[in-house]
Amino acid sequence: MRTDLWGVLGALLGVVLAPFVFLGGLLRRARVFHPDGQFFRGRVIATPASDPRVQRIAARLAGCVLARLSASVHAGPEEVPDWLGGGFRFRADAESTAVAGPGDQDVLVASLESFGSTQKAKRETDQHDYLNNTYYTVAPYLVDGVGQARVRLVGSRLGPKTGPRSERLKQAAAAGEAWFRLEVQPRGEADWLAVARIELDGPTELDMPSWYMTPFRAGRGLT
């Protein structure tokens, strides 16, 4: 019942906000949220887990992934205070295409743990380095084999580097050092359980207008 209530509230909020987001996009001539970004191809490697609850979902997520990393609001190359975020599509096949296929899974994350901590999260986000942050889905998921859980991605945190964040990410990927650890926190528990490691192999070119992500695309067991 509680899950159904959250679904209804989310739908109502979407209806209220949609006209403002649409108008903002027209005035800006770009997406209101995550207007600029970098596409990367990668792979998902299941983490050996002692907890049997995560073994099933880890196996289902393993394989190919496409990722888009971006600032949440600011458009342009300037690295101003902002939340960073990512859209990760777990692919059912190895094709690099912006069009989702059957069995694909979308996971959208931002350097924001909850809507009640927006300003604190903006201050604490390292806007110079995608890999030096922790990203959350904000809303909980129903995870196959786990139940209701929070989901986050922890960056590889490579330490001080120079250059713009776009180049840092490319260099880290070329060196095999660009990765995120996907973790879930089952409802009512304190510990985060490691599920898989998302390794970015390198940049890829995708058709931006065709790249449409939704948290309701749940082909791999995260709903």
Side-chain angles (χ1 to χ4, degrees):
M1 183 69 179
R2 183 177 178 181
T3 301
D4 294 340
L5 177 61
W6 277 113
V8 171
L9 291 175
L12 290 174
L13 181 62
V15 170
V16 172
L17 293 179
F20 299 98
V21 174
F22 177 72
L23 179 60
L26 285 179
L27 295 174
R28 191 176 193 175
R29 298 192 178 187
R31 300 185 181 205
V32 173
F33 299 110
H34 306 284
D36 297 325
Q38 297 173 261
F39 285 108
F40 279 76
R41 65 183 180 277
R43 49 208 162 94
V44 183
I45 301 172
T47 301
S50 57
D51 193 315
R53 291 177 297 173
V54 303
Q55 292 176 356
R56 182 177 178 182
I57 190 63
R60 294 188 65 177
L61 291 175
C64 299
V65 67
L66 295 175
R68 182 176 184 265
L69 286 302
S70 64
S72 292
V73 178
H74 181 73
E78 300 85 3
E79 297 178 3
V80 301
D82 197 353
W83 308 280
L84 299 183
F88 292 80
R89 175 165 295 161
F90 300 83
R91 295 280 292 143
D93 58 52
E95 184 181 6
S96 291
T97 174
V99 180
D104 285 358
Q105 170 82 55
D106 286 355
V107 174
L108 288 77
V109 294
S111 57
L112 172 68
E113 188 168 3
S114 70
F115 291 119
S117 62
T118 53
Q119 293 307 310
K120 179 175 181 289
K122 180 185 285 189
R123 291 193 302 269
E124 294 180 352
T125 294
D126 181 356
Q127 71 267 23
H128 303 299
D129 194 339
Y130 286 114
L131 300 173
N132 196 34
N133 293 288
T134 298
Y135 302 87
Y136 298 84
T137 56
V138 183
Y141 273 66
L142 289 176
V143 181
D144 188 19
V146 178
Q148 190 176 56
R150 301 170 69 203
V151 180
R152 73 180 184 184
L153 272 65
V154 182
S156 51
R157 288 177 166 77
L158 301 176
K161 295 179 296 299
T162 59
R165 64 179 175 231
S166 59
E167 290 304 315
R168 291 184 183 194
L169 191 57
K170 291 178 183 177
Q171 293 167 12
E177 298 175 334
W179 54 265
F180 299 89
R181 187 174 63 253
L182 189 151
E183 301 178 339
V184 298
Q185 183 187 47
R187 183 180 177 183
E189 299 184 20
D191 293 336
W192 288 87
L193 308 177
V195 175
R197 189 157 114 160
I198 302 171
E199 298 183 354
L200 303 184
D201 295 329
T204 187
E205 296 293 332
L206 295 179
D207 180 43
M208 184 60 197
S210 300
W211 179 260
Y212 170 70
M213 300 204 75
T214 169
F216 301 106
R217 182 173 290 114
R220 297 296 188 92
L222 289 101
T223 306

